[in-house]
């Protein structure tokens, strides 16, 4: 009899109600891969988007489809070692990893997840699994954004969506890079965003003119670079100075204006950056980066987690536990 595992996913696209439990074959790690027994996986906007759209036809993926891009757990099995990547992982070791759900094995909403060995980083003893699972994708998103903005110490970094998971990491990593950070926040979130280290906090608004005016009042010439965690896209261009740079997180790439460089952050470009995840863990231990868990729910309650995320107002990340 083939061994099975529990996974949470969907066989048809739609609202949160399409999320259900599946019993799937246990995946086996191949050469240079490790298998992780999942204890916690973060719920991200990419998961709800995947649930709404499903895979693209050219991807050729049969249902069920399993969302999830970041997880923490324990190494359960190690595939044949083909280089040094897998040699350092041992069964029973606490780890976190990033994974692409748009593959036949699916994403991280599963009891057992197979990933390339170089997508994995150790979880420090002082970090919980729930905290750890919020680091890989969200943290690497900000690291990638900052690299492409290419700002220098003392430059001004703008952050929209400052109270969210990506926005919070952007503030803290921006300060770590020596930048002056101007972030937005609703009145109820002002203390949170200030506590994350923002030098200036401006009123958040979904109205493009109001948002731009708030940032321009604080920085009349516009910010040098902007991480648009609020997904304002074209509406965020007015916040950036002439010749500045904008990092977007939902694939928007222009058209631009006033010589502003636009970089859509593609997390799929960082799916084998376990070393980068390990550096994020070091920053957590140093007190420079703060994983924020909004709530932890059993994996069977994934539909509820999706409803809460889509309703808005979640501060930090919702986490599913196995």
């Amino acid at each position: 009899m083939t061994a099975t595992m529990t996974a949470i996913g969907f066989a048809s696209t739609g609202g949160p109600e399409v999320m259900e439990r599946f019993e799937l074959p246990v995946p086996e790690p191949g050469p240079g891969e490790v298998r992780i027994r999942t204890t916690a996986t973060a719920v991200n906007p990419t998961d709800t988007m995947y649930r709404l759209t499903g895979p693209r036809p050219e991807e050729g993926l049969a249902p069920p489809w399993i969302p999830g891009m970041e997880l923490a757990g324990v190494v359960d099995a190690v595939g044949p070692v083909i280089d040094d990547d897998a040699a350092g992982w041992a069964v029973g070791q606490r780890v976190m990893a990033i994974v692409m759900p748009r593959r036949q094995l699916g994403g991280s909403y599963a009891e057992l997840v197979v990933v390339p060995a170089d997508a994995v980083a150790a979880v420090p003893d002082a970090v919980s699994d729930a905290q750890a699972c919020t680091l890989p994708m969200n943290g690497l998103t900000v690291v990638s954004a900052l690299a492409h903005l290419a700002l220098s110490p003392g430059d001004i970094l703008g952050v929209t969506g400052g109270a969210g998971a990506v926005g919070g990491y952007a503030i803290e990593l921006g300060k770590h890079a020596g930048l002056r950070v101007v972030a937005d926040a609703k009145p109820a979130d002002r203390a949170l965003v200030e506590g994350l280290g923002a030098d200036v906090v401006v009123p958040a608004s979904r109205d493009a003119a109001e948002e731009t005016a708030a940032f321009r009042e604080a920085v009349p010439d516009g910010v040098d670079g902007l991480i648009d965690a609020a997904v304002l896209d074209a509406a965020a261009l007015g916040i950036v100075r002439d010749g500045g740079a904008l990092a977007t997180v939902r694939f928007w790439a222009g058209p631009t204006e006033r010589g502003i460089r636009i970089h859509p952050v593609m997390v799929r470009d960082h799916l084998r950056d376990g070393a980068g995840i390990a550096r994020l863990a070091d920053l957590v231990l140093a007190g420079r980066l703060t994983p924020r868990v909004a709530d932890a729910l059993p994996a069977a309650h994934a539909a509820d987690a999706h409803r809460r995320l889509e309703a808005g107002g979640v501060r930090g990340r919702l986490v599913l536990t196995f």
Side-chain angles (χ1 to χ4, degrees):
M1 181 178 296
T2 302
T4 62
M5 66 165 185
T6 297
I8 308 296
F10 56 101
S12 60
T13 58
E17 68 279 358
V18 303
M19 298 292 289
E20 58 180 307
R21 171 178 170 170
F22 296 94
E23 290 296 319
L24 301 178
V26 170
E28 296 297 331
E33 296 180 329
V34 298
R35 187 172 67 201
I36 300 169
R37 183 170 294 279
T38 306
T39 55
T41 178
V43 178
N44 287 285
T46 53
D47 306 343
T48 60
M49 288 178 59
Y50 191 36
R51 189 205 71 230
L52 287 167
T53 64
R56 294 181 288 272
E58 63 270 22
E59 291 171 327
L61 301 178
W65 303 300
I66 312 301
M69 292 194 69
E70 50 187 353
L71 70 150
V74 176
V75 174
D76 175 78
V78 178
V81 176
I82 56 174
D83 49 35
D84 292 337
D85 291 328
W89 301 115
V91 172
Q93 189 170 4
R94 292 180 65 223
V95 295
M96 52 189 161
I98 188 168
V99 63
M100 172 56 74
R102 293 176 179 271
R103 57 175 193 163
Q104 200 58 59
L105 289 176
S108 59
Y109 288 20
E111 284 185 311
L112 296 166
V113 178
V114 168
V115 297
D118 54 7
V120 180
V123 176
D125 291 341
V127 179
S128 72
D129 288 357
Q131 292 172 323
C133 79
T134 73
L135 280 173
M137 188 187 79
N138 291 286
L140 290 178
T141 293
V142 176
V143 169
S144 177
L146 288 171
H148 286 279
L149 292 178
L151 302 179
S152 300
D155 284 349
I156 300 176
L157 171 69
V159 178
T160 65
V166 171
Y169 284 162
I171 293 168
E172 292 186 309
L173 291 175
K175 292 300 296 180
H176 180 66
L179 306 175
R180 180 171 170 79
V181 178
V182 180
D184 67 356
K186 295 178 180 178
D189 295 321
R190 185 179 184 90
L192 168 64
V193 171
E194 288 176 337
L196 290 169
D199 296 287
V200 179
V201 180
V202 303
S205 174
R206 292 301 298 183
D207 180 271
E210 291 180 358
E211 183 84 356
T212 298
F215 273 92
R216 285 288 181 154
E217 183 176 351
V219 190
D221 292 333
V223 301
D224 297 302
L226 179 70
I227 295 179
D228 181 27
V231 198
L232 301 178
D233 294 338
L237 286 168
I239 300 170
V240 183
R241 68 166 173 81
D242 295 0
L246 169 62
T248 66
V249 297
R250 201 69 63 81
F251 310 117
W252 187 78
T256 189
E257 61 184 43
R258 296 180 290 111
I260 296 172
R261 293 182 292 108
I262 298 177
H263 176 71
V265 177
M266 305 290 186
V267 178
R268 63 171 177 259
D269 295 337
H270 304 273
L271 293 175
R272 305 191 73 150
D273 192 7
I277 301 171
R279 288 191 290 271
L280 292 170
D282 289 340
L283 291 175
V284 173
L285 293 179
R288 306 303 298 268
L289 195 61
T290 310
R292 291 184 291 138
V293 177
D295 197 5
L297 300 83
H301 295 178
D304 293 334
H306 279 217
R307 289 187 188 96
R308 288 175 60 179
L309 182 59
E310 290 178 319
V314 175
R315 296 296 172 252
R317 276 285 171 252
L318 297 169
V319 170
L320 301 178
T321 60
F322 282 86

